């Protein structure tokens, strides 16, 4: 079976789906690896390092013509979709809950679509495949560095002959994988850190990193399914925003990471809360998206300064800005999934074995045999068709 690694095309994307170290593992597992020319350049993996690991450096045309499986980091763009042919498989973070039409068009072309973001994350045998966690970890680390860079003072307490600088007060809103890594990194930089989340389980995790957990008197508690948060009701949201505003006003730096699967990110920092912050404060909104983010006024991919002097960084795809570490981790995740998908095939003739009775496959297989098969994606597409009809 020929497995191909493509050069990512999304603006600002510097990651690559496989790194040379993992190529070796796949070839030892009986797979042939093709790498599109220059695929690893932006993550500092030159073609020669792939060739040395046993991959064949291939032109774009040959790669699409001969590959059985194509590995990507992000969603294929239109140009890539039109190159894919029936029977070929594409594996990556395809975000089918955000873009169900991509799943539909891949199914229409007869392409097998497999998306790492559907992985059952609490299943222990799937943890090595969990790209959402590995990439959120990288992004959380970078968020703390971005905040430190935009902040006009020190993070740590510094006592020097020129005077004493107090440590920065930093609050992380949303303490899942990215938030916890942001807390750890900000603590290592010397900031005085607190964290907040709607899942009660996160209190212990925040405190175990030496940060303070903020508990709201309104007592909003919103653990959802699969370890995720659920969307808050309008009353819960208003109570949360109002109470958080008081905490936010006392901070020098706020990092927000809150997400609810398949929904637009919750607004945690309102316009009033931003107005109450001091000049020189910094907010990094990791939830920034075209639909709106965790912070009123954040613009994805841009840094804005409010009239009262608050810098709001609309942080998009931070993992791509730490490309070597992010690619190393992603490569381990995607190759673990790939090896799982071929594990029941003939060792002499490795091939993908689609079997959605397997718990991992049921989560990740979005389309095969010309149909969208993932229940959540099917539901989204059906709801859209019903809306168009009404
Ligand atoms: P995520 O990216 O979906 O969300 C980030 C954080 O935002 C979450 O902690 C969520 O609770 C929080 N959030 C959502 N709405 C909020 C609101 N209105 N106010 C404040 N916070 C809000 O989540 P994630 O980082 O991918 O992880 C979610 C959970 O899954 C965590 O508990 C994590 O530990 C767990 N997880 C478990 C495993 C495992 O068991 N192996 C693997 C990965 C993640």
């Amino acid at each position: 079976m020929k497995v191909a690694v493509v050069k990512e095309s999304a603006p600002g994307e510097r990651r690559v789906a496989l790194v040379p170290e993992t190529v070796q593992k796949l070839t030892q597992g009986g797979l042939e690896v093709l790498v599109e020319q220059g695929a690893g350049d932006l993550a500092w993996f030159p073609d020669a390092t792939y060739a040395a690991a046993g991959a064949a450096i291939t032109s774009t045309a040959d790669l699409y013509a001969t590959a059985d499986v194509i590995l990507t980091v992000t969603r294929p763009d239109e140009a890539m979709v039109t190159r894919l042919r029936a029977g070929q498989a594409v594996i990556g973070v395809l975000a089918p809950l955000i873009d169900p039409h991509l799943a539909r068009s891949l199914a229409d072309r007869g392409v097998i679509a497999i998306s790492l973001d559907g992985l059952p994350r609490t299943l222990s045998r799937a943890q090595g495949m969990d790209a959402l966690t590995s990439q959120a970890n990288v992004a959380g680390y970078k968020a703390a560095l971005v905040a430190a860079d935009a902040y006009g003072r020190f993070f740590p307490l510094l006592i020097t002959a020129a005077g004493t600088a107090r440590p920065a007060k930093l609050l992380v809103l949303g303490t899942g994988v990215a938030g916890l890594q942001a807390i750890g990194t900000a603590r290592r930089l010397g900031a005085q850190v607190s964290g907040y989340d709607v899942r009660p389980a996160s209190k212990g995790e925040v405190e175990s990193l030496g940060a303070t957990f903020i508990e709201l008197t309104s007592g909003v508690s919103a653990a959802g399914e699969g370890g995720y948060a659920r969307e808050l009701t309008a009353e819960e949201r208003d109570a949360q925003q109002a109470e958080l505003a008081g905490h936010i006003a006392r901070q020098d730096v706020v990092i927000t990471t809150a997400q609810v699967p398949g929904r637009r990110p919750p607004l945690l920092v309102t316009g009033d809360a931003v107005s109450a912050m001091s000049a020189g404060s910094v907010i990094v909104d990791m939830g920034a998206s075209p639909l709106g983010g965790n912070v009123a006024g954040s613009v994805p991919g841009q840094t804005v300064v409010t009239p009262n002097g608050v810098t709001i960084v609309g942080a998009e795809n931070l993992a791509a800005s730490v490309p070597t570490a992010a690619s190393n981790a992603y490569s381990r995740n995607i190759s673990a999934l790939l090896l799982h998908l071929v594990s029941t095939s003939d060792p002499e003739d490795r091939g993908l074995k689609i079997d959605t009775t397997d718990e991992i496959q049921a989560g990740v297989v979005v389309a095969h045999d010309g149909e969208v098969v993932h229940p959540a994606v099917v539901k989204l597409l059906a709801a859209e068709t019903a809306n168009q009809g009404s």
Side-chain angles (χ1 to χ4, degrees):
M1 186 173 85
K2 288 187 172 157
V3 178
V5 184
V6 289
K7 190 169 171 58
E8 297 293 316
S9 60
E13 186 52 75
R14 297 186 54 182
R15 294 170 291 176
V16 60
L18 276 191
V19 303
E21 185 196 17
T22 332
V23 167
Q24 238 161 6
K25 283 196 191 122
L26 294 182
T27 51
Q28 282 159 6
L31 303 173
E32 217 176 306
V33 180
L34 313 178
V35 174
E36 186 174 358
Q37 270 162 0
D41 282 354
L42 296 179
W44 308 113
F45 298 109
D47 286 349
T49 57
Y50 286 101
I57 309 303
T58 312
S59 70
T60 310
D62 286 350
L63 181 137
Y64 284 98
T66 58
D68 300 300
V69 178
I70 294 185
L71 306 182
T72 72
V73 178
T74 58
R75 273 178 275 176
D77 60 13
E78 260 179 58
M80 177 170 169
V81 172
T82 54
R83 284 189 174 121
L84 296 169
R85 55 185 164 73
Q88 221 164 25
V90 61
I91 310 181
V93 178
L94 307 182
L97 296 181
I98 294 169
D99 185 4
H101 297 280
L102 171 66
R104 180 74 270 161
S105 55
L106 291 172
D108 289 346
R109 298 184 77 81
V111 173
I112 303 167
I114 296 176
S115 187
L116 280 151
D117 46 357
L119 200 78
R121 297 171 78 194
T122 46
L123 195 67
S124 58
R125 69 191 168 96
Q127 280 178 10
M129 308 170 193
D130 188 350
L132 289 186
T133 289
S134 74
Q135 302 307 292
N137 201 33
V138 176
Y141 160 81
K142 187 63 187 272
L145 302 187
V146 166
D149 189 38
Y151 185 51
R153 301 171 187 238
F154 296 115
F155 268 22
L157 165 76
L158 281 187
I159 302 169
T160 73
T164 298
R166 66 166 176 81
K169 286 193 196 121
L170 183 147
L171 170 63
V172 176
L173 298 174
T175 51
V177 178
L180 290 174
Q181 186 56 255
I183 288 178
T185 307
R187 289 258 308 145
R188 286 192 285 274
L189 288 173
Q192 224 172 58
V193 183
S194 52
Y196 164 76
D197 201 290
V198 276
R199 288 178 302 103
S202 62
K203 179 179 191 301
E205 291 163 353
V206 168
E207 289 175 347
S208 73
L209 292 173
T212 310
F213 189 76
I214 290 182
E215 276 173 277
L216 302 188
T217 53
S218 50
V220 176
S221 167
E225 282 171 22
Y228 289 109
R230 64 165 171 81
E231 195 172 26
L232 302 185
T233 63
E235 294 78 45
E236 286 174 329
R237 190 196 55 217
D238 293 349
Q240 183 195 53
Q241 287 173 351
E243 204 175 342
L244 276 180
H247 291 278
I248 291 165
R250 291 192 285 277
Q251 304 298 322
D252 301 304
V253 179
V254 175
I255 297 174
T256 68
T257 80
Q259 298 281 350
V260 176
R263 308 261 170 213
R264 56 153 289 189
L267 182 72
L268 302 182
V269 183
T270 60
D272 286 348
V274 174
S275 305
M277 293 181 86
S278 305
S281 306
V282 171
I283 307 177
V284 175
D285 182 3
M286 288 181 65
S289 78
L291 299 172
N294 295 147
V295 181
S298 74
V299 183
Q302 286 185 35
T303 297
V304 292
V305 180
T306 65
N308 63 321
V310 178
T311 302
I312 306 178
V313 182
E316 256 191 335
N317 199 8
L318 285 179
S321 68
V322 195
T324 313
S327 303
N328 277 333
Y330 186 83
S331 177
R332 283 181 214 123
N333 300 143
I334 199 166
S335 59
L337 175 63
L338 182 63
L339 290 173
H340 175 70
L341 294 170
V342 301
S343 62
T344 55
S345 65
D346 176 1
E348 297 302 315
D349 182 21
R350 283 285 181 223
L352 285 189
K353 283 268 179 266
I354 300 301
D355 168 15
T356 50
T357 61
D358 168 62
E359 204 176 346
I360 293 178
Q361 292 213 30
V364 297
V365 177
V366 177
H368 78 107
D369 283 344
E371 298 291 339
V372 175
V373 294
H374 195 286
V377 187
V378 171
K379 205 168 143 189
L380 264 182
L381 289 166
E384 224 170 78
T385 313
N387 279 345
Q388 280 161 2
S390 62

